[in-house]
Amino acid sequence: MREPPSLPVFGKLGVKPSVAVVAAPAASAGIVPRLREVVAAHGGMALKLSVIAWTILVLGTVFFMLQG
């Protein structure tokens, strides 16, 4: 595994020792993995529906403000 270059420490003499970090997936429990699968499969449709709902909400608000 390649380690990133150590950055200079401002205001101190010397450099902090680098610590090796191993990226491991966190053990997700519950509904989180299922939500990830759903968003991955239907993310585009959810985005389109949310834009349509937001547009209808804005147009409805403008309509009722003009009526009052």
Side-chain angles (χ1 to χ4, degrees):
M1 183 169 92
R2 187 176 66 105
E3 294 183 8
S6 58
L7 299 174
V9 179
F10 298 104
K12 294 189 177 188
L13 297 174
V15 177
K16 292 183 179 180
S18 61
V19 177
V21 177
V22 177
S28 303
I31 196 167
V32 174
R34 179 73 178 134
L35 284 176
R36 286 182 183 159
E37 291 175 8
V38 170
V39 169
H42 305 289
M45 185 189 326
L47 178 64
K48 289 176 188 175
L49 290 176
S50 64
V51 168
I52 290 170
W54 181 83
T55 305
I56 291 172
L57 178 69
V58 170
L59 291 176
T61 303
V62 169
F63 175 76
F64 284 113
M65 288 179 71
L66 290 176
Q67 293 297 318

